């Protein structure tokens, strides 16, 4: 009988507190590495459901040894997520194959969101 009463008190407490708990949505690259197809690499980002805005722009910082415009081009310099579409992609197009240079992307996490597992 004590266990049942304790369980009821605990479940009542959890229900009462659940209205006060707010989760900060996270944003992350889908995988640690992009999908690579010959001269292109596809970087995919995923966000958790959010309700604070209708759409969210997540800027990207490009780094590495390759030079934007000389060694590669990109489809966009940011990801755009919406309440209806929590994923987006950026395609990196290689202009010179076999140079041994690298391209790194890092997410610039907007205020009110947290970085997920893969940030760069």
């Amino acid at each position: 009988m004590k266990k049942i009463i304790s369980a009821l008190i605990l479940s009542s407490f959890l229900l009462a507190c659940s209205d006060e708990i707010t989760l900060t949505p996270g944003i992350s690259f889908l995988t640690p590495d992009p999908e690579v197809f010959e001269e292109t690499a596809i970087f995919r980002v995923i966000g958790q459901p959010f309700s604070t805005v209708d759409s969210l722009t997540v800027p990207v910082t490009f780094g590495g040894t390759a030079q934007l415009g000389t060694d590669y081009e990109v489809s966009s310099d940011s990801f755009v997520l919406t309440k209806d579409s929590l994923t987006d992609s950026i395609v990196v197009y290689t202009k010179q194959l076999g140079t041994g240079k690298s391209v790194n992307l890092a997410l610039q996490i907007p205020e009110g969101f947290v970085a997920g597992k893969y940030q760069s």
Side-chain angles (χ1 to χ4, degrees):
M1 181 74 166
K2 264 186 167 178
K3 288 182 181 179
I4 294 173
I5 292 172
S6 295
L8 288 173
I9 291 171
L10 179 60
S11 63
S12 296
F13 175 75
L14 291 174
L15 288 173
C17 291
S18 66
D19 291 339
E20 297 174 19
I21 297 173
T22 56
L23 299 177
T24 305
I27 300 169
S28 175
F29 283 107
L30 189 58
T31 60
D33 299 309
E35 296 175 56
V36 178
F37 303 96
E38 293 186 24
E39 298 177 8
T40 62
I42 302 172
F43 293 82
R44 299 183 194 280
V45 74
I46 187 166
Q48 294 172 329
F50 53 89
S51 60
T52 54
V53 292
D54 290 331
S55 68
L56 178 69
T57 300
V58 182
V60 175
T61 301
F62 294 90
T65 56
Q67 294 294 317
L68 179 62
T70 303
D71 299 313
Y72 68 96
E73 295 291 335
V74 296
S75 62
S76 181
D77 61 357
S78 61
F79 294 100
V80 178
L81 306 177
T82 67
K83 290 180 182 181
D84 297 327
S85 178
L86 295 173
T87 62
D88 195 17
S89 302
I90 289 179
V91 180
V92 174
Y93 304 97
T94 304
K95 294 175 92 174
Q96 297 180 14
L97 293 176
T99 62
K101 296 181 180 180
S102 65
V103 177
N104 301 322
L105 276 71
L107 299 174
Q108 295 178 27
I109 305 300
E111 187 176 326
F113 293 80
V114 295
K117 186 172 183 178
Y118 307 116
Q119 302 170 42
S120 63

